[in-house]
Amino acid sequence: NPFDYAFYENAASANYMIGELDKALVQIDKVINELNPLNGKCEYIKALIFIRMGDPIGACPLFETSKDSGYVPAEASYNQYCR
């Protein structure tokens, strides 16, 4: 289903894990910009991609949005990279 955000979220996570960061970024941007599930997980994944790309400062607003959306794992990452 091309409208199921979880498909793109999972694909982005898989590509992140194998180091295909550009592909992961395109996929997670589709979730954020077009499907926007408002669960915080997609922002968390994008923040992790930014961290791996060497941009921890760019990751901080994403971790904060994720944390504010109630995505629990984001708080520890926010504290680690953004405080």
Side-chain angles (χ1 to χ4, degrees):
N1 180 352
F3 300 107
D4 184 0
Y5 75 88
F7 168 79
Y8 295 100
E9 215 170 57
N10 291 337
S13 292
N15 280 307
Y16 164 79
M17 287 188 236
I18 63 170
E20 293 286 339
L21 302 180
D22 290 331
K23 190 182 249 186
L25 198 54
V26 167
Q27 291 164 327
I28 207 63
D29 278 342
K30 181 172 181 71
V31 175
I32 292 169
N33 298 326
E34 296 176 30
L35 305 171
N36 200 359
L38 301 172
N39 64 5
K41 185 177 179 183
C42 52
E43 290 85 3
Y44 180 76
I45 292 167
K46 186 171 182 176
L48 293 177
I49 294 167
F50 275 27
I51 295 288
R52 189 175 278 181
M53 292 176 107
D55 185 7
I57 293 171
C60 288
L62 294 161
F63 281 137
E64 189 166 14
T65 298
S66 180
K67 181 173 65 89
D68 292 346
S69 296
Y71 192 68
V72 175
E75 186 153 355
S77 297
Y78 179 82
N79 291 335
Q80 179 178 353
Y81 292 103
C82 305
R83 293 210 171 210

